[in-house]
């Protein structure tokens, strides 16, 4: 009877409403749920799960709060700005506030070292990068059409790019042997395979800086990608939402620079997805941007932005903030310094335990290599270790398989959504775990580690317990250290 | 060559990006563009176009500004609220802030006279009613499926409900003879026609209170609609975004009351679309709500809300405002009084000139009958008159045909997006025009009207000039009297 009802119910709704193509049934989101059930707090819940699965940037809020304190006129809710309340509340033009678009274009230019200018007339709003990625797919591809995406890639792309659009992802497999760089050969192989499968390839989508790798694409690689898509006459979508998280050399090369410099490039094929969720740490404000060099796409995406406009209250405030050159310059410089410091703190801590990460220069995470800890070099081996780390070490990190990585044993670990003390707690937990493994003769590190006083224990019998039941809770997690009250 | 390039370009993009199914090529939007090109201002541009095509509610901003002034702690940008900035900026859980959902549920209940309670767990966010309407379609219907919608209906439904979802609208034709009420016969006819056309009817969508009619559905009609959809086992989507604009008897009967009272109703079929754009006058804040009684739809819509979440800054502020019972009670009562007064001012002014409107008790507009001014009783006759009104009388009103009205000669005229003085300017312009028509012997009104000092003139030779070229500008207009600076 249950089945009958289910089937009845299914026919009543759309296929989309009842299929699993939203991609939430992934370890990436399950880890967030584990954190949600038992969130760490330094005093209230010191044995709780540490949230290292959330690429959030909390390192510079003091600078932002200072700016807000000194610019009450930027808000419509202060005595200084209240006279704008009415005008802003009713503003619904889908072009956005002119000064907001100008501010965004200014910020995008500064993030790219001022080497390129952005035309505010091409700045199209959408609901976060989530919305921006979907909008650009709706503009470029029909249902069934395909996009090439180098692996490893962001787990929620299945939802953002495919779920409602019907677009398909073709992975371009990248490998550890060359530090997961995108090669011409890998692109050609993927493209050829798609053709053999009768798929209509409409473009290539890259994340630069990469999530989860934390690396940037060099100028030559960028040029070869632009050449590739021009030769095939397909689109290049560059998701550059981590552009301002570059904290070390080599510096970031945006596709906008390549387009500016290359002699032969069909600009109608080039599109940028941007956001303030990572670079400024404002995921709650839902500022997503589609920046296209193609006029038809700009017009069409703008019409679609009706479905995901940025709140005019937020536009108004950010217009002032992003147009303040002194603030932006200082923010970007300081953010980079703090990210570099945090990256060092974390990766050097790992190195002391014999754990390496892929060398990186950007991002709010590192790509940690735990291959030597796997019982077997398979996705299942990776998932077994992941369950131990989430359930016993009580760290929510994200397994490489959820990023469609071609090799088992890699994990993304976020480090910018917490304070230094919490990073140290995480390092102590990892150290204790690694020590325990070593003790068991797994020979990861030679010396024994002290686990005393860490408040965590490892039950061998439970180690590979797969009965971990995840709650049907939100896959978009709260921040680990804060609760909105 | 141009054609060749165009075709090349078209194949590069999606069908959606290059088709016209966004519905913007409508007189409804063209009128906005006419306003945009030459906006009226009482002192700077007194001969400009008056914006009466925008259903905006500006009558109670003084109450809202007072509340803001007295509640600086509700904002994250004030000294009193700044300590929440960080927590709010990073909050991205797609369930929304619990206190926001609670506030919305509280407000929705109060708008419906407290006769029903709403479960905050069923409150799903989306980007305005625009986003909410699209999300509910994505949940309920597959591409090619159809929804019945009584006419006249909101012109942008083509965009909101159909453009990206592939859903089709089947008009249920309602007529002047019974004041455009929805009858069982009209529903049956439309349903039968759809079946003959091999369309899979997934539901019925109603706007209650109606846009553009400004009327509410009585309890018996609501019950018969609920019975109809239960018999057919199809969905009922109630767009209730004008719920708080009811300013006169009969009082508003929400589908939520019907569901509560009726013995036999499959609640899985009932869904409400809500928003704060009309009832509170906050279209810029993009608060759209899907409230479904179907658990699967709630879960699926919540996943989709990732594409159109409300800015956490806005959620945080509104959570406090909508949970303030005294404020909400006073706001709703006062808003109703002011709307009634404005409605009287405008419709009584029209009556003095012999122009009638459909009797109404809700909305931010009235449904004006200008049939006696038409040269011919056709859509073309209606559009000819409309062009004169927009281009010469310089009033942007919206022709009935853009609402898919089954009878020519009706126009929607918005009256709540301006001050009393501007309404009087509009009335004087209409009076002058009607007088001119009478003078020409068209016998609309018997007496001559004085047009002196109004700053408008009517050139007979230009009267039916159809060369009016519209700019490719925003169809989502600025407010008529304010400019964000």
């Amino acid at each position: 009877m249950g089945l009958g009802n289910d089937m009845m119910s299914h026919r009543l709704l759309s296929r989309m409403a009842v299929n699993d193509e939203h991609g939430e049934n992934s370890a990436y989101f399950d880890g967030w749920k584990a954190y949600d059930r038992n969130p760490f707090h330094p005093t209230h819940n010191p044995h709780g799960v540490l949230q290292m699965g959330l690429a959030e940037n909390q390192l510079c809020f003091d600078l932002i709060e200072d700016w807000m304190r000194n610019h009450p006129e930027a808000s419509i809710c202060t005595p200084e700005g209240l006279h704008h309340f009415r005008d802003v509340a009713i503003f619904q033009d889908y072009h956005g506030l002119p000064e907001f678009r100008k501010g965004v274009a200014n910020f995008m230019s500064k993030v790219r070292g001022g080497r390129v200018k952005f035309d505010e007339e091409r700045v199209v709003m959408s609901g976060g990068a989530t919305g921006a990625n979907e909008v650009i797919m709706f503009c470029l591809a029909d249902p069934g059409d395909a996009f090439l995406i180098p692996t490893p890639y962001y787990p929620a792309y299945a939802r953002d790019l495919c779920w409602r659009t019907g677009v398909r992802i073709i992975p371009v497999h990248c490998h550890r042997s060359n530090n997961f760089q995108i090669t011409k050969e890998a692109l050609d192989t993927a493209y050829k395979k798609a053709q053999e499968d009768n798929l209509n390839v409409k473009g290539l989508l890259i994340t630069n800086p990469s999530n989860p790798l934390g690396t940037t694409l060099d100028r030559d690689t960028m040029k070869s990608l632009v050449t590739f898509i021009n030769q095939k006459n397909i689109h290049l979508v560059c998701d550059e939402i981590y552009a301002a998280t570059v904290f070390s050399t080599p510096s970031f090369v945006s596709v906008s620079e390549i387009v500016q410099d290359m002699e032969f490039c069909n600009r109608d094929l080039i599109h940028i997805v941007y956001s303030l969720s990572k670079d400024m740490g404002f995921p709650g404000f839902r500022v997503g941007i589609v920046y296209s060099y193609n006029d038809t796409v700009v017009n069409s995406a703008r019409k679609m932005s009706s479905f995901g406009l940025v709140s005019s209250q937020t536009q108004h405030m950010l217009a002032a903030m992003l147009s303040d050159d002194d603030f932006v310059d200082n923010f970007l410089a300081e953010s980079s310094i703090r990210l570099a410091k945090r990256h060092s703190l974390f990766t050097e801590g790992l190195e002391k335990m014999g754990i390496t990460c892929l060398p990186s220069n950007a991002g709010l995470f590192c790509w940690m290599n735990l291959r030597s800890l796997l019982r077997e070099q398979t996705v299942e081996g990776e998932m077994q270790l992941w369950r131990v780390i989430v359930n016993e070490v009580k760290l929510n990190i994200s397994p490489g398989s959820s990023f469609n990585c071609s090799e088992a044993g890699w994990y993304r670990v976020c480090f910018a959504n917490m304070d230094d003390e919490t990073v140290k707690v995480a390092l102590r937990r990892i150290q204790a775990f690694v020590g325990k493994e070593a003790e068991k003769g797994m020979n990861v590190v030679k010396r024994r580690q002290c686990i005393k006083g860490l408040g965590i224990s490892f039950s061998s019998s439970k180690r590979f317990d797969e009965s971990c039941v995840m709650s049907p809770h939100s896959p978009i997690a709260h921040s680990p250290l804060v609760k909105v009250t």
Side-chain angles (χ1 to χ4, degrees), chain A:
Chain A
M1 201 181 88
L3 183 67
N5 279 342
D6 269 7
M7 282 176 64
M8 280 289 280
S9 153
H10 282 204
R11 254 178 285 138
L12 267 182
L13 306 181
S14 67
R15 283 186 288 273
M16 201 179 283
V18 294
N19 71 24
D20 280 340
E21 290 169 24
H22 48 73
E24 277 192 14
N25 302 326
S26 150
Y28 178 72
F29 292 115
D30 285 342
W32 289 9
K33 294 169 196 166
Y35 166 77
D36 269 355
R37 280 197 305 276
N38 179 25
F40 170 83
H41 186 281
T43 52
H44 302 138
N45 191 22
H47 303 162
V49 176
L50 283 166
Q51 174 60 295
M52 305 189 87
L54 193 55
E56 227 172 48
N57 190 352
Q58 294 194 28
L59 302 187
C60 287
F61 272 108
D62 56 327
L63 304 181
I64 293 160
E65 285 157 7
D66 274 351
W67 187 89
M68 283 308 316
R69 203 171 284 116
N70 295 325
H71 293 85
E73 77 287 355
S75 162
I76 57 171
C77 301
T78 57
E80 295 85 350
L82 191 59
H83 59 286
H84 284 305
F85 190 97
R86 171 186 309 235
D87 313 355
V88 171
I90 58 175
F91 183 88
Q92 58 180 313
D93 184 331
Y94 63 26
H95 292 81
L97 289 171
E99 58 274 26
F100 172 70
R101 272 186 295 147
K102 200 178 269 184
V104 167
N106 182 55
F107 187 75
M108 286 179 73
S109 175
K110 284 191 176 285
V111 165
R112 287 148 189 86
R115 294 180 298 276
V116 276
K117 291 285 167 213
F118 290 90
D119 176 1
E120 63 211 57
E121 297 301 320
R122 294 188 182 279
V123 170
V124 177
M125 281 183 286
S126 61
T130 301
N133 274 313
E134 189 188 56
V135 161
I136 196 73
M137 287 300 116
F138 270 128
C139 289
L140 303 182
D142 289 318
D145 286 351
F147 260 76
L148 304 170
I149 308 187
T151 68
Y153 59 79
Y154 175 49
Y157 272 156
R159 178 193 63 195
D160 300 359
L161 304 171
C162 306
W163 187 30
R164 305 199 307 182
T165 64
V167 168
R168 298 176 60 165
I169 293 174
I170 304 167
V172 178
H173 290 293
C174 301
H175 301 279
R176 179 179 50 135
S177 55
N178 70 344
N179 287 335
F180 299 100
Q181 286 184 70
I182 309 167
T183 63
K184 180 77 169 57
E185 292 67 37
L187 279 173
D188 283 335
T189 303
Y191 188 84
K192 203 175 152 199
K193 169 105 178 37
Q195 286 193 310
E196 285 164 8
D197 294 345
N198 283 319
L199 290 172
N200 185 28
V201 179
K202 289 303 283 285
L204 165 67
L205 185 146
I206 56 168
T207 39
N208 184 31
S210 164
N211 171 14
L213 300 176
T215 55
T216 51
L217 296 173
D218 61 56
R219 195 173 293 270
D220 286 344
T221 303
M222 283 301 299
K223 279 186 182 169
S224 80
L225 296 183
V226 172
T227 302
F228 174 82
I229 63 102
N230 269 281
Q231 281 166 351
K232 305 290 187 198
N233 198 33
I234 60 174
H235 297 279
L236 178 62
V237 176
C238 297
D239 179 339
E240 298 189 348
I241 67 170
Y242 289 95
T245 68
V246 178
F247 53 79
S248 177
T249 53
S251 64
F252 175 58
V253 182
S254 164
V255 72
S256 55
E257 290 180 62
I258 303 297
V259 165
Q260 185 173 270
D261 297 345
M262 271 179 81
E263 203 171 343
F264 301 106
C265 173
N266 179 0
R267 290 184 169 215
D268 280 344
L269 302 175
I270 310 290
H271 323 275
I272 298 173
V273 164
Y274 192 53
S275 148
L276 299 181
S277 300
K278 309 302 181 184
D279 281 358
M280 296 218 66
F282 296 159
F285 295 170
R286 311 312 297 150
V287 179
I289 302 294
V290 172
Y291 188 93
S292 175
Y293 292 87
N294 182 316
D295 293 344
T296 308
V297 171
V298 169
N299 287 332
S300 189
R302 187 155 278 143
K303 290 182 178 70
M304 291 187 194
S305 69
S306 299
F307 300 107
L309 294 170
V310 178
S311 169
S312 56
Q313 179 190 16
T314 298
Q315 285 186 57
H316 181 76
M317 178 188 76
L318 292 178
M321 190 185 288
L322 301 180
S323 302
D324 181 338
D325 284 343
D326 290 342
F327 166 76
V328 170
D329 290 340
N330 181 52
F331 176 86
L332 292 174
E334 187 63 25
S335 177
S336 179
I337 290 168
R338 293 186 191 183
L339 278 168
K341 208 173 138 201
R342 174 58 62 84
H343 177 261
S344 295
L345 172 70
F346 188 63
T347 54
E348 286 167 12
L350 290 177
E351 273 165 27
K352 283 182 195 152
M353 310 167 207
I355 297 174
T356 58
C357 295
L358 185 77
S360 64
N361 64 326
L364 308 170
F365 33 71
C366 53
W367 192 232
M368 184 168 71
N369 181 350
L370 296 185
R371 292 176 57 75
S372 60
L373 289 179
L374 298 190
R375 288 206 168 170
E376 51 179 65
Q377 303 292 321
T378 63
V379 169
E380 185 41 35
E382 174 181 293
M383 291 305 293
Q384 282 183 342
L385 178 61
W386 176 76
R387 282 188 284 268
V388 173
I389 293 172
V390 170
N391 296 325
E392 299 187 25
V393 189
K394 292 200 163 56
L395 297 180
N396 174 34
I397 63 175
S398 309
S401 52
S402 61
F403 295 84
N404 216 343
C405 186
S406 56
E407 185 181 75
W410 295 87
Y411 299 83
R412 192 191 73 169
V413 192
C414 298
F415 54 65
N417 58 330
M418 56 191 67
D419 56 22
D420 279 351
E421 284 314 304
T422 309
V423 173
K424 287 172 189 162
V425 174
L427 285 169
R428 286 200 296 273
R429 288 190 186 181
I430 297 169
Q431 190 172 31
F433 172 63
V434 171
K436 192 90 179 171
E437 294 297 297
E439 200 175 316
K440 279 192 260 158
M442 287 183 75
N443 202 27
V444 183
V445 288
K446 299 301 180 195
R447 62 190 184 285
R448 291 178 59 166
Q449 307 287 336
C450 172
I451 61 166
K452 201 176 142 195
L454 290 174
I456 50 173
S457 65
F458 307 115
S459 147
S460 298
S461 64
K462 266 190 68 193
R463 258 201 73 189
F464 294 138
D465 178 9
E466 296 175 32
S467 66
C468 164
V469 179
M470 299 302 177
S471 81
H473 199 59
S474 165
I476 302 185
H478 298 257
S479 190
L481 285 178
V482 290
K483 281 281 166 192
V484 177
T485 52

